[in-house]
Amino acid sequence: FSARNNAQSITLSPDNRNKMGVYVGWKWIFLGWMFNLDRHNTKNDWNFSFYTAKVGIDVFHRKTGENFKLRKLSGFKNPVSGDNLTPRQRLFDGISVEQSGVNIYYIFNNKKFSYPAAYSQSTNQRISCGTFIMGGSYSRQSFQMDITKFDNNIRESMHPSLNFNRIKYHDISINAGYSYNWVFAKNCLANISLTPAIGYKHSSIKSEEIRSIFKNINADLVSRAALVYNNSRWFVGMSLVSHTYTYRKSALSIINGFGVLNVYSGINFLRKEEKKK
């Protein structure tokens, strides 16, 4: 969160969380559910995917609020209190973040390229090739922050733009990018995908002093990477998915991002379709 063209900013993020889950797929449909291994954290994630050779759809929902920390403070007067703790060491339990949305994309080189081979293991790809990707997405972001959780010396010098109770914004975007599958050994595949997006955001901010609505156009980024071994009967691999959402105005700017690293193994009960020349 930044105010007055980055003259004052607050950076908050949680510690990494370890989760475990189950993914089940049949033909084009895949459903996953992840739960926290920390028994004190009961907020779980779920996502639904629909993959064909030409079209992919991802639906997701995430909610978090535990174990946030103040990572960086800029533009404040004497923000560190007398407890000798740096902002990086200070826990902050006054924020709740909720994200949900849907991504839809089209694969242009769908005769040779298989996105599911990298991210759902429902097909195999035997030759290296890439493709252009184009699609759209809708997401809903919600932030709730209790500023009374900050130290008094931080609140006293806080810019009014950062003194909010709740921010909600809806993001509708179109994206285009490129994805490449590299078959570097038998049954082994690596993928990297980058899809920049241009999004239209409709936001509402509620605070004790103001209640306002902003509209804006900003740039976002979705990136993916995967590494998988798949012999058509069983598979093992890992994938990284990263989303970055931006909202910028002169009075208030928000950069909200999350990344998920999955390490998985599984069994296919039906033989996969193979991508060949």
Side-chain angles (χ1 to χ4, degrees), residues 75-109:
F76 289 83
K77 297 179 180 178
N78 301 319
V80 181
S81 59
D83 56 6
N84 295 322
L85 293 178
T86 66
R88 289 182 177 274
Q89 297 172 317
R90 190 179 304 167
L91 291 172
F92 183 77
D93 60 353
I95 190 169
S96 176
V97 181
E98 187 171 0
Q99 302 167 323
S100 58
V102 56
N103 300 316
I104 302 174
Y105 45 87
Y106 179 81
I107 307 297
F108 285 89
N109 188 15

PDB file of all heavy atoms in Angstrom, residues 75-109:
ATOM      1  N   GLY A  75       8.642   6.444   4.722  1.00  0.00           N
ATOM      2  CA  GLY A  75       8.003   7.744   4.823  1.00  0.00           C
ATOM      3  C   GLY A  75       7.377   8.042   6.170  1.00  0.00           C
ATOM      4  O   GLY A  75       6.708   9.065   6.319  1.00  0.00           O
ATOM      5  N   PHE A  76       7.595   7.193   7.168  1.00  0.00           N
ATOM      6  CA  PHE A  76       7.042   7.407   8.501  1.00  0.00           C
ATOM      7  C   PHE A  76       8.106   8.020   9.411  1.00  0.00           C
ATOM      8  O   PHE A  76       9.312   7.848   9.197  1.00  0.00           O
ATOM      9  CB  PHE A  76       6.554   6.088   9.105  1.00  0.00           C
ATOM     10  CG  PHE A  76       5.314   5.551   8.469  1.00  0.00           C
ATOM     11  CD1 PHE A  76       5.394   4.802   7.299  1.00  0.00           C
ATOM     12  CD2 PHE A  76       4.068   5.780   9.021  1.00  0.00           C
ATOM     13  CE1 PHE A  76       4.250   4.298   6.701  1.00  0.00           C
ATOM     14  CE2 PHE A  76       2.923   5.284   8.436  1.00  0.00           C
ATOM     15  CZ  PHE A  76       3.012   4.545   7.270  1.00  0.00           C
ATOM     16  N   LYS A  77       7.637   8.707  10.441  1.00  0.00           N
ATOM     17  CA  LYS A  77       8.534   9.320  11.410  1.00  0.00           C
ATOM     18  C   LYS A  77       8.743   8.350  12.581  1.00  0.00           C
ATOM     19  O   LYS A  77       7.796   8.004  13.277  1.00  0.00           O
ATOM     20  CB  LYS A  77       7.943  10.636  11.929  1.00  0.00           C
ATOM     21  CG  LYS A  77       7.762  11.701  10.855  1.00  0.00           C
ATOM     22  CD  LYS A  77       7.156  12.960  11.448  1.00  0.00           C
ATOM     23  CE  LYS A  77       6.967  14.025  10.372  1.00  0.00           C
ATOM     24  NZ  LYS A  77       6.340  15.258  10.923  1.00  0.00           N
ATOM     25  N   ASN A  78       9.989   7.920  12.754  1.00  0.00           N
ATOM     26  CA  ASN A  78      10.342   7.033  13.869  1.00  0.00           C
ATOM     27  C   ASN A  78       9.366   5.870  14.019  1.00  0.00           C
ATOM     28  O   ASN A  78       8.700   5.722  15.049  1.00  0.00           O
ATOM     29  CB  ASN A  78      10.388   7.821  15.173  1.00  0.00           C
ATOM     30  CG  ASN A  78      11.380   8.955  15.122  1.00  0.00           C
ATOM     31  OD1 ASN A  78      12.476   8.802  14.587  1.00  0.00           O
ATOM     32  ND2 ASN A  78      10.986  10.112  15.653  1.00  0.00           N
ATOM     33  N   PRO A  79       9.238   5.020  12.998  1.00  0.00           N
ATOM     34  CA  PRO A  79       8.229   3.966  13.045  1.00  0.00           C
ATOM     35  C   PRO A  79       8.559   2.829  13.990  1.00  0.00           C
ATOM     36  O   PRO A  79       7.680   2.069  14.366  1.00  0.00           O
ATOM     37  CB  PRO A  79       8.218   3.459  11.598  1.00  0.00           C
ATOM     38  CG  PRO A  79       9.592   3.715  11.099  1.00  0.00           C
ATOM     39  CD  PRO A  79      10.024   4.984  11.753  1.00  0.00           C
ATOM     40  N   VAL A  80       9.812   2.655  14.406  1.00  0.00           N
ATOM     41  CA  VAL A  80      10.180   1.527  15.262  1.00  0.00           C
ATOM     42  C   VAL A  80      10.021   1.928  16.711  1.00  0.00           C
ATOM     43  O   VAL A  80      10.582   2.914  17.177  1.00  0.00           O
ATOM     44  CB  VAL A  80      11.633   1.093  14.991  1.00  0.00           C
ATOM     45  CG1 VAL A  80      11.999  -0.092  15.879  1.00  0.00           C
ATOM     46  CG2 VAL A  80      11.802   0.725  13.523  1.00  0.00           C
ATOM     47  N   SER A  81       9.231   1.157  17.473  1.00  0.00           N
ATOM     48  CA  SER A  81       8.968   1.462  18.874  1.00  0.00           C
ATOM     49  C   SER A  81      10.135   0.998  19.734  1.00  0.00           C
ATOM     50  O   SER A  81      11.112   0.416  19.262  1.00  0.00           O
ATOM     51  CB  SER A  81       7.672   0.789  19.318  1.00  0.00           C
ATOM     52  OG  SER A  81       7.767  -0.606  19.152  1.00  0.00           O
ATOM     53  N   GLY A  82      10.031   1.190  21.028  1.00  0.00           N
ATOM     54  CA  GLY A  82      11.130   0.905  21.935  1.00  0.00           C
ATOM     55  C   GLY A  82      11.318  -0.558  22.257  1.00  0.00           C
ATOM     56  O   GLY A  82      12.120  -0.886  23.134  1.00  0.00           O
ATOM     57  N   ASP A  83      10.609  -1.445  21.610  1.00  0.00           N
ATOM     58  CA  ASP A  83      10.772  -2.872  21.901  1.00  0.00           C
ATOM     59  C   ASP A  83      11.946  -3.480  21.143  1.00  0.00           C
ATOM     60  O   ASP A  83      12.150  -4.694  21.180  1.00  0.00           O
ATOM     61  CB  ASP A  83       9.493  -3.630  21.579  1.00  0.00           C
ATOM     62  CG  ASP A  83       9.043  -3.437  20.134  1.00  0.00           C
ATOM     63  OD1 ASP A  83       9.779  -2.806  19.353  1.00  0.00           O
ATOM     64  OD2 ASP A  83       7.954  -3.929  19.794  1.00  0.00           O
ATOM     65  N   ASN A  84      12.704  -2.661  20.406  1.00  0.00           N
ATOM     66  CA  ASN A  84      13.910  -3.093  19.686  1.00  0.00           C
ATOM     67  C   ASN A  84      13.623  -4.099  18.577  1.00  0.00           C
ATOM     68  O   ASN A  84      14.519  -4.834  18.161  1.00  0.00           O
ATOM     69  CB  ASN A  84      14.937  -3.683  20.666  1.00  0.00           C
ATOM     70  CG  ASN A  84      15.454  -2.640  21.641  1.00  0.00           C
ATOM     71  OD1 ASN A  84      15.665  -1.488  21.271  1.00  0.00           O
ATOM     72  ND2 ASN A  84      15.639  -3.043  22.897  1.00  0.00           N
ATOM     73  N   LEU A  85      12.402  -4.137  18.099  1.00  0.00           N
ATOM     74  CA  LEU A  85      12.055  -5.016  16.993  1.00  0.00           C
ATOM     75  C   LEU A  85      12.079  -4.229  15.695  1.00  0.00           C
ATOM     76  O   LEU A  85      11.589  -3.098  15.634  1.00  0.00           O
ATOM     77  CB  LEU A  85      10.672  -5.632  17.191  1.00  0.00           C
ATOM     78  CG  LEU A  85      10.512  -6.623  18.341  1.00  0.00           C
ATOM     79  CD1 LEU A  85       9.063  -7.094  18.434  1.00  0.00           C
ATOM     80  CD2 LEU A  85      11.437  -7.819  18.164  1.00  0.00           C
ATOM     81  N   THR A  86      12.636  -4.807  14.657  1.00  0.00           N
ATOM     82  CA  THR A  86      12.592  -4.187  13.339  1.00  0.00           C
ATOM     83  C   THR A  86      11.245  -4.493  12.705  1.00  0.00           C
ATOM     84  O   THR A  86      10.536  -5.420  13.133  1.00  0.00           O
ATOM     85  CB  THR A  86      13.718  -4.730  12.446  1.00  0.00           C
ATOM     86  OG1 THR A  86      13.464  -6.116  12.189  1.00  0.00           O
ATOM     87  CG2 THR A  86      15.068  -4.564  13.120  1.00  0.00           C
ATOM     88  N   PRO A  87      10.842  -3.714  11.670  1.00  0.00           N
ATOM     89  CA  PRO A  87       9.572  -4.025  10.990  1.00  0.00           C
ATOM     90  C   PRO A  87       9.502  -5.444  10.460  1.00  0.00           C
ATOM     91  O   PRO A  87       8.431  -6.044  10.408  1.00  0.00           O
ATOM     92  CB  PRO A  87       9.539  -2.990   9.861  1.00  0.00           C
ATOM     93  CG  PRO A  87      10.356  -1.854  10.380  1.00  0.00           C
ATOM     94  CD  PRO A  87      11.443  -2.484  11.195  1.00  0.00           C
ATOM     95  N   ARG A  88      10.630  -6.041  10.053  1.00  0.00           N
ATOM     96  CA  ARG A  88      10.622  -7.406   9.528  1.00  0.00           C
ATOM     97  C   ARG A  88      10.287  -8.430  10.601  1.00  0.00           C
ATOM     98  O   ARG A  88       9.854  -9.539  10.295  1.00  0.00           O
ATOM     99  CB  ARG A  88      11.976  -7.743   8.907  1.00  0.00           C
ATOM    100  CG  ARG A  88      12.242  -7.008   7.598  1.00  0.00           C
ATOM    101  CD  ARG A  88      13.578  -7.442   7.018  1.00  0.00           C
ATOM    102  NE  ARG A  88      13.812  -6.815   5.730  1.00  0.00           N
ATOM    103  CZ  ARG A  88      13.389  -7.283   4.575  1.00  0.00           C
ATOM    104  NH1 ARG A  88      12.685  -8.403   4.552  1.00  0.00           N
ATOM    105  NH2 ARG A  88      13.645  -6.658   3.448  1.00  0.00           N
ATOM    106  N   GLN A  89      10.526  -8.087  11.850  1.00  0.00           N
ATOM    107  CA  GLN A  89      10.283  -9.031  12.938  1.00  0.00           C
ATOM    108  C   GLN A  89       8.917  -8.846  13.592  1.00  0.00           C
ATOM    109  O   GLN A  89       8.556  -9.631  14.454  1.00  0.00           O
ATOM    110  CB  GLN A  89      11.370  -8.871  14.004  1.00  0.00           C
ATOM    111  CG  GLN A  89      12.773  -9.191  13.519  1.00  0.00           C
ATOM    112  CD  GLN A  89      13.810  -8.824  14.561  1.00  0.00           C
ATOM    113  OE1 GLN A  89      13.741  -7.770  15.183  1.00  0.00           O
ATOM    114  NE2 GLN A  89      14.779  -9.705  14.756  1.00  0.00           N
ATOM    115  N   ARG A  90       8.202  -7.841  13.178  1.00  0.00           N
ATOM    116  CA  ARG A  90       6.983  -7.486  13.894  1.00  0.00           C
ATOM    117  C   ARG A  90       5.761  -8.142  13.272  1.00  0.00           C
ATOM    118  O   ARG A  90       5.442  -7.934  12.107  1.00  0.00           O
ATOM    119  CB  ARG A  90       6.819  -5.967  13.893  1.00  0.00           C
ATOM    120  CG  ARG A  90       5.714  -5.482  14.825  1.00  0.00           C
ATOM    121  CD  ARG A  90       5.619  -3.994  14.794  1.00  0.00           C
ATOM    122  NE  ARG A  90       6.894  -3.374  15.129  1.00  0.00           N
ATOM    123  CZ  ARG A  90       7.153  -2.086  14.930  1.00  0.00           C
ATOM    124  NH1 ARG A  90       6.246  -1.324  14.383  1.00  0.00           N
ATOM    125  NH2 ARG A  90       8.319  -1.583  15.262  1.00  0.00           N
ATOM    126  N   LEU A  91       5.068  -8.938  14.044  1.00  0.00           N
ATOM    127  CA  LEU A  91       3.842  -9.575  13.587  1.00  0.00           C
ATOM    128  C   LEU A  91       2.724  -8.550  13.473  1.00  0.00           C
ATOM    129  O   LEU A  91       2.643  -7.614  14.267  1.00  0.00           O
ATOM    130  CB  LEU A  91       3.427 -10.694  14.547  1.00  0.00           C
ATOM    131  CG  LEU A  91       4.303 -11.940  14.576  1.00  0.00           C
ATOM    132  CD1 LEU A  91       3.858 -12.859  15.710  1.00  0.00           C
ATOM    133  CD2 LEU A  91       4.244 -12.673  13.253  1.00  0.00           C
ATOM    134  N   PHE A  92       1.841  -8.737  12.506  1.00  0.00           N
ATOM    135  CA  PHE A  92       0.696  -7.843  12.324  1.00  0.00           C
ATOM    136  C   PHE A  92      -0.530  -8.699  12.036  1.00  0.00           C
ATOM    137  O   PHE A  92      -0.619  -9.357  10.999  1.00  0.00           O
ATOM    138  CB  PHE A  92       0.946  -6.870  11.162  1.00  0.00           C
ATOM    139  CG  PHE A  92      -0.162  -5.889  10.962  1.00  0.00           C
ATOM    140  CD1 PHE A  92      -0.290  -4.797  11.797  1.00  0.00           C
ATOM    141  CD2 PHE A  92      -1.100  -6.067   9.950  1.00  0.00           C
ATOM    142  CE1 PHE A  92      -1.328  -3.892  11.616  1.00  0.00           C
ATOM    143  CE2 PHE A  92      -2.126  -5.171   9.766  1.00  0.00           C
ATOM    144  CZ  PHE A  92      -2.244  -4.081  10.610  1.00  0.00           C
ATOM    145  N   ASP A  93      -1.459  -8.716  12.966  1.00  0.00           N
ATOM    146  CA  ASP A  93      -2.651  -9.566  12.839  1.00  0.00           C
ATOM    147  C   ASP A  93      -3.912  -8.762  12.530  1.00  0.00           C
ATOM    148  O   ASP A  93      -5.019  -9.201  12.797  1.00  0.00           O
ATOM    149  CB  ASP A  93      -2.871 -10.369  14.118  1.00  0.00           C
ATOM    150  CG  ASP A  93      -3.064  -9.486  15.349  1.00  0.00           C
ATOM    151  OD1 ASP A  93      -2.900  -8.250  15.233  1.00  0.00           O
ATOM    152  OD2 ASP A  93      -3.374 -10.031  16.421  1.00  0.00           O
ATOM    153  N   GLY A  94      -3.726  -7.603  11.892  1.00  0.00           N
ATOM    154  CA  GLY A  94      -4.872  -6.745  11.628  1.00  0.00           C
ATOM    155  C   GLY A  94      -5.302  -6.699  10.176  1.00  0.00           C
ATOM    156  O   GLY A  94      -5.930  -5.722   9.758  1.00  0.00           O
ATOM    157  N   ILE A  95      -4.980  -7.725   9.390  1.00  0.00           N
ATOM    158  CA  ILE A  95      -5.335  -7.704   7.973  1.00  0.00           C
ATOM    159  C   ILE A  95      -5.943  -9.035   7.560  1.00  0.00           C
ATOM    160  O   ILE A  95      -5.585 -10.102   8.078  1.00  0.00           O
ATOM    161  CB  ILE A  95      -4.096  -7.393   7.098  1.00  0.00           C
ATOM    162  CG1 ILE A  95      -4.505  -7.130   5.646  1.00  0.00           C
ATOM    163  CG2 ILE A  95      -3.065  -8.500   7.181  1.00  0.00           C
ATOM    164  CD1 ILE A  95      -3.409  -6.567   4.781  1.00  0.00           C
ATOM    165  N   SER A  96      -6.874  -8.959   6.632  1.00  0.00           N
ATOM    166  CA  SER A  96      -7.492 -10.141   6.045  1.00  0.00           C
ATOM    167  C   SER A  96      -7.577  -9.913   4.538  1.00  0.00           C
ATOM    168  O   SER A  96      -8.024  -8.853   4.087  1.00  0.00           O
ATOM    169  CB  SER A  96      -8.893 -10.373   6.627  1.00  0.00           C
ATOM    170  OG  SER A  96      -9.519 -11.469   5.996  1.00  0.00           O
ATOM    171  N   VAL A  97      -7.139 -10.904   3.770  1.00  0.00           N
ATOM    172  CA  VAL A  97      -7.100 -10.800   2.313  1.00  0.00           C
ATOM    173  C   VAL A  97      -7.886 -11.960   1.719  1.00  0.00           C
ATOM    174  O   VAL A  97      -7.698 -13.109   2.112  1.00  0.00           O
ATOM    175  CB  VAL A  97      -5.651 -10.824   1.779  1.00  0.00           C
ATOM    176  CG1 VAL A  97      -5.646 -10.693   0.256  1.00  0.00           C
ATOM    177  CG2 VAL A  97      -4.826  -9.720   2.416  1.00  0.00           C
ATOM    178  N   GLU A  98      -8.770 -11.639   0.767  1.00  0.00           N
ATOM    179  CA  GLU A  98      -9.558 -12.671   0.091  1.00  0.00           C
ATOM    180  C   GLU A  98      -9.490 -12.439  -1.416  1.00  0.00           C
ATOM    181  O   GLU A  98      -9.643 -11.311  -1.878  1.00  0.00           O
ATOM    182  CB  GLU A  98     -11.003 -12.650   0.569  1.00  0.00           C
ATOM    183  CG  GLU A  98     -11.843 -13.794   0.043  1.00  0.00           C
ATOM    184  CD  GLU A  98     -13.202 -13.872   0.694  1.00  0.00           C
ATOM    185  OE1 GLU A  98     -13.492 -13.029   1.566  1.00  0.00           O
ATOM    186  OE2 GLU A  98     -13.990 -14.784   0.346  1.00  0.00           O
ATOM    187  N   GLN A  99      -9.248 -13.511  -2.164  1.00  0.00           N
ATOM    188  CA  GLN A  99      -9.134 -13.431  -3.618  1.00  0.00           C
ATOM    189  C   GLN A  99      -9.938 -14.556  -4.253  1.00  0.00           C
ATOM    190  O   GLN A  99      -9.911 -15.693  -3.793  1.00  0.00           O
ATOM    191  CB  GLN A  99      -7.670 -13.577  -4.054  1.00  0.00           C
ATOM    192  CG  GLN A  99      -6.728 -12.560  -3.458  1.00  0.00           C
ATOM    193  CD  GLN A  99      -5.279 -12.947  -3.681  1.00  0.00           C
ATOM    194  OE1 GLN A  99      -4.923 -14.116  -3.629  1.00  0.00           O
ATOM    195  NE2 GLN A  99      -4.436 -11.962  -3.942  1.00  0.00           N
ATOM    196  N   SER A 100     -10.652 -14.216  -5.302  1.00  0.00           N
ATOM    197  CA  SER A 100     -11.358 -15.226  -6.082  1.00  0.00           C
ATOM    198  C   SER A 100     -11.455 -14.726  -7.515  1.00  0.00           C
ATOM    199  O   SER A 100     -11.460 -13.517  -7.770  1.00  0.00           O
ATOM    200  CB  SER A 100     -12.758 -15.496  -5.515  1.00  0.00           C
ATOM    201  OG  SER A 100     -13.524 -14.312  -5.471  1.00  0.00           O
ATOM    202  N   GLY A 101     -11.510 -15.666  -8.456  1.00  0.00           N
ATOM    203  CA  GLY A 101     -11.559 -15.241  -9.843  1.00  0.00           C
ATOM    204  C   GLY A 101     -11.602 -16.404 -10.805  1.00  0.00           C
ATOM    205  O   GLY A 101     -11.601 -17.580 -10.419  1.00  0.00           O
ATOM    206  N   VAL A 102     -11.611 -16.054 -12.087  1.00  0.00           N
ATOM    207  CA  VAL A 102     -11.637 -17.045 -13.162  1.00  0.00           C
ATOM    208  C   VAL A 102     -10.734 -16.556 -14.290  1.00  0.00           C
ATOM    209  O   VAL A 102     -10.719 -15.365 -14.614  1.00  0.00           O
ATOM    210  CB  VAL A 102     -13.074 -17.282 -13.667  1.00  0.00           C
ATOM    211  CG1 VAL A 102     -13.729 -15.985 -14.117  1.00  0.00           C
ATOM    212  CG2 VAL A 102     -13.097 -18.319 -14.785  1.00  0.00           C
ATOM    213  N   ASN A 103      -9.930 -17.479 -14.849  1.00  0.00           N
ATOM    214  CA  ASN A 103      -9.064 -17.196 -15.991  1.00  0.00           C
ATOM    215  C   ASN A 103      -9.480 -18.081 -17.164  1.00  0.00           C
ATOM    216  O   ASN A 103      -9.677 -19.286 -16.996  1.00  0.00           O
ATOM    217  CB  ASN A 103      -7.598 -17.475 -15.658  1.00  0.00           C
ATOM    218  CG  ASN A 103      -7.101 -16.639 -14.502  1.00  0.00           C
ATOM    219  OD1 ASN A 103      -7.379 -15.453 -14.428  1.00  0.00           O
ATOM    220  ND2 ASN A 103      -6.358 -17.253 -13.595  1.00  0.00           N
ATOM    221  N   ILE A 104      -9.600 -17.481 -18.341  1.00  0.00           N
ATOM    222  CA  ILE A 104      -9.941 -18.220 -19.563  1.00  0.00           C
ATOM    223  C   ILE A 104      -8.895 -17.898 -20.620  1.00  0.00           C
ATOM    224  O   ILE A 104      -8.543 -16.731 -20.811  1.00  0.00           O
ATOM    225  CB  ILE A 104     -11.348 -17.833 -20.070  1.00  0.00           C
ATOM    226  CG1 ILE A 104     -12.407 -18.091 -18.993  1.00  0.00           C
ATOM    227  CG2 ILE A 104     -11.694 -18.601 -21.335  1.00  0.00           C
ATOM    228  CD1 ILE A 104     -13.782 -17.602 -19.368  1.00  0.00           C
ATOM    229  N   TYR A 105      -8.377 -18.921 -21.291  1.00  0.00           N
ATOM    230  CA  TYR A 105      -7.362 -18.668 -22.303  1.00  0.00           C
ATOM    231  C   TYR A 105      -7.528 -19.621 -23.471  1.00  0.00           C
ATOM    232  O   TYR A 105      -8.074 -20.718 -23.345  1.00  0.00           O
ATOM    233  CB  TYR A 105      -5.950 -18.785 -21.708  1.00  0.00           C
ATOM    234  CG  TYR A 105      -5.728 -19.976 -20.829  1.00  0.00           C
ATOM    235  CD1 TYR A 105      -5.332 -21.203 -21.359  1.00  0.00           C
ATOM    236  CD2 TYR A 105      -5.914 -19.885 -19.454  1.00  0.00           C
ATOM    237  CE1 TYR A 105      -5.130 -22.293 -20.552  1.00  0.00           C
ATOM    238  CE2 TYR A 105      -5.722 -20.980 -18.639  1.00  0.00           C
ATOM    239  CZ  TYR A 105      -5.322 -22.183 -19.194  1.00  0.00           C
ATOM    240  OH  TYR A 105      -5.131 -23.274 -18.382  1.00  0.00           O
ATOM    241  N   TYR A 106      -7.025 -19.164 -24.618  1.00  0.00           N
ATOM    242  CA  TYR A 106      -7.113 -19.930 -25.855  1.00  0.00           C
ATOM    243  C   TYR A 106      -5.711 -20.268 -26.338  1.00  0.00           C
ATOM    244  O   TYR A 106      -4.825 -19.409 -26.370  1.00  0.00           O
ATOM    245  CB  TYR A 106      -7.859 -19.127 -26.931  1.00  0.00           C
ATOM    246  CG  TYR A 106      -7.972 -19.852 -28.257  1.00  0.00           C
ATOM    247  CD1 TYR A 106      -8.950 -20.814 -28.461  1.00  0.00           C
ATOM    248  CD2 TYR A 106      -7.076 -19.577 -29.300  1.00  0.00           C
ATOM    249  CE1 TYR A 106      -9.042 -21.483 -29.674  1.00  0.00           C
ATOM    250  CE2 TYR A 106      -7.172 -20.239 -30.508  1.00  0.00           C
ATOM    251  CZ  TYR A 106      -8.155 -21.202 -30.688  1.00  0.00           C
ATOM    252  OH  TYR A 106      -8.254 -21.870 -31.878  1.00  0.00           O
ATOM    253  N   ILE A 107      -5.491 -21.535 -26.735  1.00  0.00           N
ATOM    254  CA  ILE A 107      -4.212 -22.020 -27.230  1.00  0.00           C
ATOM    255  C   ILE A 107      -4.241 -21.985 -28.759  1.00  0.00           C
ATOM    256  O   ILE A 107      -5.036 -22.684 -29.388  1.00  0.00           O
ATOM    257  CB  ILE A 107      -3.935 -23.453 -26.749  1.00  0.00           C
ATOM    258  CG1 ILE A 107      -4.071 -23.545 -25.227  1.00  0.00           C
ATOM    259  CG2 ILE A 107      -2.571 -23.921 -27.215  1.00  0.00           C
ATOM    260  CD1 ILE A 107      -3.097 -22.710 -24.464  1.00  0.00           C
ATOM    261  N   PHE A 108      -3.382 -21.193 -29.380  1.00  0.00           N
ATOM    262  CA  PHE A 108      -3.391 -21.080 -30.838  1.00  0.00           C
ATOM    263  C   PHE A 108      -2.794 -22.324 -31.516  1.00  0.00           C
ATOM    264  O   PHE A 108      -3.364 -22.846 -32.455  1.00  0.00           O
ATOM    265  CB  PHE A 108      -2.629 -19.821 -31.264  1.00  0.00           C
ATOM    266  CG  PHE A 108      -3.398 -18.551 -31.028  1.00  0.00           C
ATOM    267  CD1 PHE A 108      -3.299 -17.874 -29.811  1.00  0.00           C
ATOM    268  CD2 PHE A 108      -4.232 -18.033 -32.000  1.00  0.00           C
ATOM    269  CE1 PHE A 108      -4.021 -16.720 -29.590  1.00  0.00           C
ATOM    270  CE2 PHE A 108      -4.955 -16.874 -31.789  1.00  0.00           C
ATOM    271  CZ  PHE A 108      -4.852 -16.214 -30.576  1.00  0.00           C
ATOM    272  N   ASN A 109      -1.658 -22.795 -31.044  1.00  0.00           N
ATOM    273  CA  ASN A 109      -0.998 -23.952 -31.658  1.00  0.00           C
ATOM    274  C   ASN A 109      -1.486 -25.240 -30.989  1.00  0.00           C
ATOM    275  O   ASN A 109      -0.703 -26.037 -30.452  1.00  0.00           O
ATOM    276  CB  ASN A 109       0.523 -23.819 -31.530  1.00  0.00           C
ATOM    277  CG  ASN A 109       1.264 -24.885 -32.306  1.00  0.00           C
ATOM    278  OD1 ASN A 109       0.699 -25.558 -33.160  1.00  0.00           O
ATOM    279  ND2 ASN A 109       2.550 -25.061 -31.995  1.00  0.00           N
TER     280      ASN A 109
END
